[in-house]
Amino acid sequence: MAGHRRRRTPAGAGRRPGQPRTAHRLGGVERVTLLAGGVGGARLAHGLDLALRPSDEPMPISGNPAPRHPLTVVVNVGDDTELHGLWISPDIDTVLYTLAELNDEERGWGLRGETYATLEQLARLGEDTWFTLGDLDLATHIVRTARLRSGSPLSAVTSQIAESLGVRPRILPVTDDSLATMVDTPSGRLGFQEYFVGHQHSDEVLGLHFEGAEATRPAPGVVDALREAELVLLAPSNPFLSIDPVLAVPGVRDALTGTAARRVAVSPIVGGAAIKGPAAQILESLGHEVSALGVARLYTELADVMCIDERDAHLSGPIADLGFEVLVTDTIMGGPDGRERLARELLGLGT
Amino acid sequence: MAGHRRRRTPAGAGRRPGQPRTAHRLGGVERVTLLAGGVGGARLAHGLDLALRPSDEPMPISGNPAPRHPLTVVVNVGDDTELHGLWISPDIDTVLYTLAELNDEERGWGLRGETYATLEQLARLGEDTWFTLGDLDLATHIVRTARLRSGSPLSAVTSQIAESLGVRPRILPVTDDSLATMVDTPSGRLGFQEYFVGHQHSDEVLGLHFEGAEATRPAPGVVDALREAELVLLAPSNPFLSIDPVLAVPGVRDALTGTAARRVAVSPIVGGAAIKGPAAQILESLGHEVSALGVARLYTELADVMCIDERDAHLSGPIADLGFEVLVTDTIMGGPDGRERLARELLGLGT
């Protein structure tokens, strides 16, 4: 089991010679890598960014590039899709918008103050507009598509957009290659967005397939971000729809199972229900227990610590029996304060 | 000269056997073809559409396709450009929007009620936004680009968009191939939009070059629209920037000089000035007289009739001396009524 298999190394052991510990020892950890899907991953990334922001941070000096931020977020691209000829990366955008504090917190997705003039006109022009795209959001897709078509890889384009939006952590798509999450349902195999948005994730999920995954390579920096981290976090994202497609990229699972970093998974199931999305239904339809324990059973090879919500404290024993250390805390990240508090607790596990 | 060279044929001589004359004999002419650039061409097209609309027009019966509209507009594509990875066809859009009565009459370009959320966000994402693109307008460019990339030719895409917008006349790009108007100026050769929008057409024009024109073919229907017309109109568009690039597509000039139709050019110069745009400056810098007479001298091979404004009535004699019939009328198409009135006068020349 994970707890026994792991080589434990002191925090900071992976630090390169000559690399100062103090300069960016923000929040006590220098290198944190978060594997993330959409909303849950974005909220935790936001908490980590807040927690890692030093109170006495100097203003960046122009011409003097800022040192690398301690947080790297490796993001799922299995939900990516092309609509109206534009390349949409929903999870990357949710992470970017949330870190840029431009996201619509109330609705849970998209940008604050969004308008829909283009989408309404697209409908008038005969386009199928089942997928809601706002005017502000479209700018991201237009820029991404133009830069991808001009030959830039998704990781470089993501990095440019992040910089334009003032996002400080490093955001990496897990791969620059094409990987499409396909959902097997009683009515056949559906593309992810068709299942998720088109059918509003109401179909029973019989299985998942990550089309093209075997031919993908990790984006530059992904494997190193896992190998060289002090702390690796699995976001409270859907294990099947967000974490699995990240691990389906050859080399990523090995980097996660082989890292010297402490690995902490935050359960997306609280009190027997998903915080958001179809995780509960999918756990059930694939024959797993719909609980933090059911999630822990999926992660025995992938994490050393399971972080579960206070409401699930009674599951600590059975989860510990699987070989995990267990952190019991408030995992519901309502606002920025809750996010930062959870992030600080998680970062505490890395030091 | 043109007036002597022309074979005059009775109106309707080009009618196919079995084609009823009465059914679509709207406004007295069955087949009118207009060569057009942007605003001037769009306004005349609108006037023609209004004039050709029968008062007792039956509602179209679904499943029973409407007969072809008597008006075909052949539109310049030399101003087309790619911005943010999207394909922009400014003249086609001006014609489409004006015929759909969606255009912003006051401003003279673009759509009424336009907003700019996407453009502002594109600027935040580091894009160069010197070219104004509204949210509604962007829908056209997104749809056009997606359909072009999926393999549809520009003419088919234009026809689909026209249908979606309820535009009845047939709108044809002069070619489905790439043709780029380049402007030679004292500061070098500029792309058209760089000259026109970027530099606000302030540079002296030393010459025009239609890049790629020699390799283009007329779009399907263009040559027939000229050959089979009863009446061909040259819109009051810029002779150098709008009409010349249309004629630069191999086969189009021959179709215009060889048609049996009566050919009427409307002068874009009134009282020694252009109604809109840089036509006057370009006439001058290229050594032509800035007047309806200067324009007539450019059109001796291309038109049989010159339509000039009342303010230029004194030029009737010199223009007639070039071999033209001359129609003197109010050519300023302020509102729909003025357009329709001018259109009716021009249509009267075709019967």
Side-chain angles (χ1 to χ4, degrees):
Chain A
M1 289 293 162
H4 304 284
R5 191 181 48 73
R6 307 287 313 142
R7 291 165 288 123
R8 291 301 315 278
T9 47
R15 198 162 76 252
R16 290 192 200 90
Q19 195 179 13
R21 176 155 189 140
T22 48
H24 318 124
R25 204 172 161 280
L26 311 172
V29 181
E30 286 173 40
R31 291 181 301 285
V32 191
T33 298
L34 172 68
L35 303 189
V39 176
R43 288 182 178 168
L44 184 51
H46 186 215
L48 290 162
D49 188 23
L50 293 170
L52 290 164
R53 209 169 282 182
S55 53
D56 58 344
E57 184 182 18
M59 292 295 290
I61 297 157
S62 123
N64 196 356
R68 173 174 289 182
H69 192 276
L71 175 61
T72 297
V73 188
V74 175
V75 188
N76 171 41
V77 297
D79 307 0
D80 289 18
T81 193
E82 192 174 324
L83 287 167
H84 317 295
L86 301 173
W87 193 250
I88 322 282
S89 297
D91 283 354
I92 289 175
D93 290 346
T94 298
V95 170
L96 288 174
Y97 296 161
T98 305
L99 285 171
E101 299 182 345
L102 297 170
N103 59 310
D104 188 325
E105 286 285 346
E106 210 164 309
R107 190 173 54 178
W109 56 273
L111 289 151
R112 263 199 320 279
E114 188 59 284
T115 53
Y116 301 91
T118 304
L119 194 76
E120 285 164 23
Q121 190 69 5
L122 284 171
R124 278 182 214 116
L125 293 174
E127 290 284 292
D128 198 350
T129 54
W130 56 277
F131 193 97
T132 302
L133 292 169
D135 298 324
L136 298 172
D137 191 28
L138 271 166
T140 308
H141 311 316
I142 289 169
V143 163
R144 172 182 293 124
T145 305
R147 295 181 188 173
L148 288 173
R149 287 202 196 274
S150 76
S152 289
L154 182 62
S155 53
V157 175
T158 302
S159 161
Q160 289 170 351
I161 296 175
E163 195 182 339
S164 296
L165 294 177
V167 169
R168 297 154 23 104
R170 186 165 59 139
I171 314 301
L172 295 178
V174 64
T175 179
D176 284 330
D177 305 318
S178 181
L179 180 168
T181 297
M182 306 296 289
V183 185
D184 289 322
T185 74
S187 45
R189 181 166 283 188
L190 304 177
F192 177 78
Q193 297 301 346
E194 197 183 353
Y195 157 75
F196 195 78
V197 180
H199 293 211
Q200 307 211 321
H201 50 75
S202 62
D203 298 83
E204 188 187 356
V205 174
L206 305 176
L208 280 308
H209 176 71
F210 307 116
E211 201 169 273
E214 59 290 347
T216 62
R217 288 156 307 164
V222 167
V223 166
D224 285 352
L226 288 166
R227 283 207 189 120
E228 297 174 5
E230 291 161 71
L231 182 67
V232 173
L233 300 170
L234 276 65
S237 298
N238 190 307
F240 306 103
L241 297 175
S242 298
I243 303 299
D244 269 2
V246 165
L247 301 177
V249 174
V252 174
R253 179 181 284 268
D254 287 350
L256 177 62
T257 55
T259 183
R262 206 167 193 201
R263 306 164 309 168
V264 184
V266 183
S267 173
I269 300 288
V270 171
I275 298 166
K276 197 174 185 303
Q281 298 101 287
I282 299 178
L283 274 163
E284 186 168 18
S285 70
L286 296 182
H288 303 283
E289 186 178 308
V290 184
S291 73
L293 176 60
V295 174
R297 287 197 184 112
L298 298 170
Y299 284 164
T300 51
E301 298 295 314
L302 306 174
D304 309 304
V305 184
M306 276 301 297
C307 172
I308 64 172
D309 194 73
E310 292 158 346
R311 273 162 277 188
D312 296 319
H314 61 285
L315 298 172
S316 298
I319 293 174
D321 289 346
L322 294 171
F324 288 102
E325 292 172 54
V326 183
L327 171 67
V328 180
T329 186
D330 176 5
T331 64
I332 307 295
M333 298 176 285
D337 289 352
R339 286 167 205 185
E340 184 173 349
R341 192 205 44 72
L342 176 62
R344 286 194 186 281
E345 280 201 70
L346 295 170
L347 290 169
L349 297 171
T351 53
Chain B
M1 289 293 161
H4 305 285
R5 189 184 48 75
R6 306 289 312 143
R7 291 165 288 122
R8 291 304 313 278
T9 47
R15 195 163 75 251
R16 290 194 200 91
Q19 195 179 12
R21 174 152 194 142
T22 47
H24 319 124
R25 205 172 160 276
L26 312 172
V29 181
E30 285 172 41
R31 290 181 301 285
V32 191
T33 298
L34 171 68
L35 303 188
V39 177
R43 287 181 178 167
L44 185 49
H46 186 214
L48 291 162
D49 187 23
L50 292 170
L52 290 163
R53 209 168 283 183
S55 51
D56 58 345
E57 185 180 14
M59 292 296 288
I61 296 158
S62 126
N64 197 355
R68 175 174 287 183
H69 193 274
L71 175 61
T72 297
V73 188
V74 175
V75 188
N76 171 40
V77 296
D79 307 0
D80 289 17
T81 193
E82 191 175 324
L83 287 166
H84 317 293
L86 300 174
W87 192 250
I88 322 281
S89 297
D91 283 355
I92 288 175
D93 289 345
T94 298
V95 171
L96 288 175
Y97 297 161
T98 305
L99 285 171
E101 299 183 344
L102 297 171
N103 60 311
D104 187 325
E105 286 285 346
E106 210 164 309
R107 189 172 56 177
W109 56 274
L111 289 152
R112 263 198 323 278
E114 188 59 283
T115 54
Y116 300 92
T118 304
L119 194 76
E120 285 164 25
Q121 189 68 6
L122 284 170
R124 280 182 213 115
L125 293 174
E127 291 284 292
D128 198 349
T129 54
W130 57 276
F131 193 97
T132 301
L133 292 170
D135 298 323
L136 298 173
D137 192 28
L138 271 166
T140 308
H141 311 317
I142 289 170
V143 162
R144 173 183 292 122
T145 305
R147 296 181 188 173
L148 287 173
R149 287 203 196 275
S150 77
S152 289
L154 182 61
S155 53
V157 175
T158 302
S159 160
Q160 288 169 350
I161 296 175
E163 194 182 343
S164 296
L165 294 176
V167 169
R168 298 155 21 106
R170 186 165 61 141
I171 314 302
L172 294 177
V174 63
T175 179
D176 284 328
D177 304 318
S178 182
L179 180 168
T181 297
M182 306 297 290
V183 185
D184 289 323
T185 74
S187 46
R189 180 167 284 189
L190 304 177
F192 177 79
Q193 295 301 346
E194 196 183 353
Y195 156 77
F196 195 78
V197 180
H199 293 212
Q200 306 210 322
H201 51 74
S202 62
D203 298 82
E204 189 187 354
V205 174
L206 305 175
L208 280 306
H209 176 70
F210 307 115
E211 203 169 270
E214 59 288 350
T216 61
R217 289 157 304 164
V222 167
V223 166
D224 284 351
L226 288 165
R227 282 206 189 121
E228 297 174 4
E230 290 162 73
L231 181 68
V232 173
L233 300 169
L234 276 66
S237 298
N238 191 306
F240 307 103
L241 297 176
S242 299
I243 303 299
D244 269 2
V246 165
L247 302 177
V249 174
V252 174
R253 180 180 284 268
D254 286 351
L256 177 62
T257 56
T259 183
R262 206 168 191 198
R263 304 164 310 166
V264 183
V266 182
S267 174
I269 301 288
V270 171
I275 298 166
K276 196 170 186 307
Q281 298 102 287
I282 299 178
L283 275 162
E284 186 167 20
S285 69
L286 296 181
H288 302 283
E289 186 177 309
V290 184
S291 73
L293 176 59
V295 174
R297 286 195 186 113
L298 298 171
Y299 285 163
T300 51
E301 298 295 315
L302 306 174
D304 310 303
V305 184
M306 276 300 298
C307 172
I308 64 173
D309 194 74
E310 292 158 346
R311 273 161 277 189
D312 296 318
H314 61 284
L315 297 172
S316 298
I319 291 173
D321 289 346
L322 294 171
F324 289 100
E325 292 173 53
V326 183
L327 171 67
V328 181
T329 186
D330 177 3
T331 65
I332 307 294
M333 297 175 284
D337 288 352
R339 287 170 202 180
E340 184 173 348
R341 193 206 43 73
L342 176 61
R344 287 194 184 280
E345 281 201 70
L346 295 170
L347 290 170
L349 297 170
T351 53

